[in-house]
Amino acid sequence: MPDGREVDQTELLGVAKDEERARSLLRALRTLSTGPDPKLREMATGVLRGDLTAEQAFTDPEYTAALFSGADKIRRAGERRTDAEAREAGERFGEWQQVRRTEDEREDQGEGRGTSPSDTDPPATPAQQPAGPWRHSGPGGVGGPGGLGGSRPSGGFGHR
């Protein structure tokens, strides 16, 4: 941020409800602040700087439309994914989650302060592309959590 100020996860507890979700929201905002969608970049940067509260951002019609549009793209990409691609993505996601948990534990124990490697995607190995757990080699290069791990119900959001 230009003036160096960035909200911390405690400032996001009002919408996140607990520290783990606040940490996740902070990471998501950091990711969105450098992403391809200009409206989401604007929203995330505003929240990170403290110019906009998370409550304001998540109730603004333009920002929520941009969020839902992105979610819809991810959903459609997940529906086009083959079962083999879904299984592979599920495995990568599981590995990524384990790395994230380990880094979170280190951070919780006070080993890491400030920006930690857990705030970004896991380090890429030669066999991986550095696009994080949602990387997808299918159309548009978009992936998402929908359908990870194999078969999924057709249409809608599945069982609740």
Side-chain angles (χ1 to χ4, degrees):
M1 303 297 109
D3 63 2
R5 183 197 185 309
E6 180 181 282
V7 297
D8 66 18
Q9 67 190 43
T10 59
E11 295 175 87
L12 300 173
L13 284 172
V15 293
K17 307 296 185 215
D18 64 47
E19 288 186 22
E20 184 177 332
R21 288 182 182 155
R23 183 176 21 243
S24 180
L25 177 56
L26 184 57
R27 285 185 184 123
L29 288 168
R30 287 175 179 158
T31 299
L32 290 172
S33 73
T34 59
D37 186 297
K39 191 52 82 174
L40 293 178
R41 274 196 318 267
E42 174 186 307
M43 181 267 302
T45 301
V47 174
L48 289 170
R49 286 183 179 160
D51 298 336
L52 182 68
T53 67
E55 292 89 349
Q56 291 170 322
F58 299 144
T59 57
D60 180 280
E62 289 183 37
Y63 296 147
T64 54
L67 285 166
F68 282 113
S69 174
D72 189 51
K73 289 175 188 173
I74 291 170
R75 181 191 55 80
R76 284 193 313 265
E79 289 173 352
R80 289 190 305 263
R81 187 180 276 175
T82 67
D83 285 343
E85 290 170 326
R87 277 190 300 279
E88 180 184 336
E91 290 168 7
R92 285 193 312 260
F93 182 68
E95 293 166 3
W96 176 81
Q97 282 183 313
Q98 184 58 44
V99 168
R100 192 70 160 276
R101 264 187 237 110
T102 302
E103 290 172 347
D104 284 348
E105 289 169 6
R106 280 190 212 127
E107 190 174 293
D108 289 344
Q109 294 171 0
E111 292 179 19
R113 293 286 179 235
T115 303
S116 71
S118 64
D119 293 333
T120 60
D121 294 327
T125 61
Q128 294 177 323
Q129 297 173 359
W134 309 120
R135 66 188 174 277
H136 175 66
S137 58
V142 178
L148 288 180
S151 300
R152 52 195 183 274
S154 60
F157 293 99
H159 302 288
R160 295 207 176 233

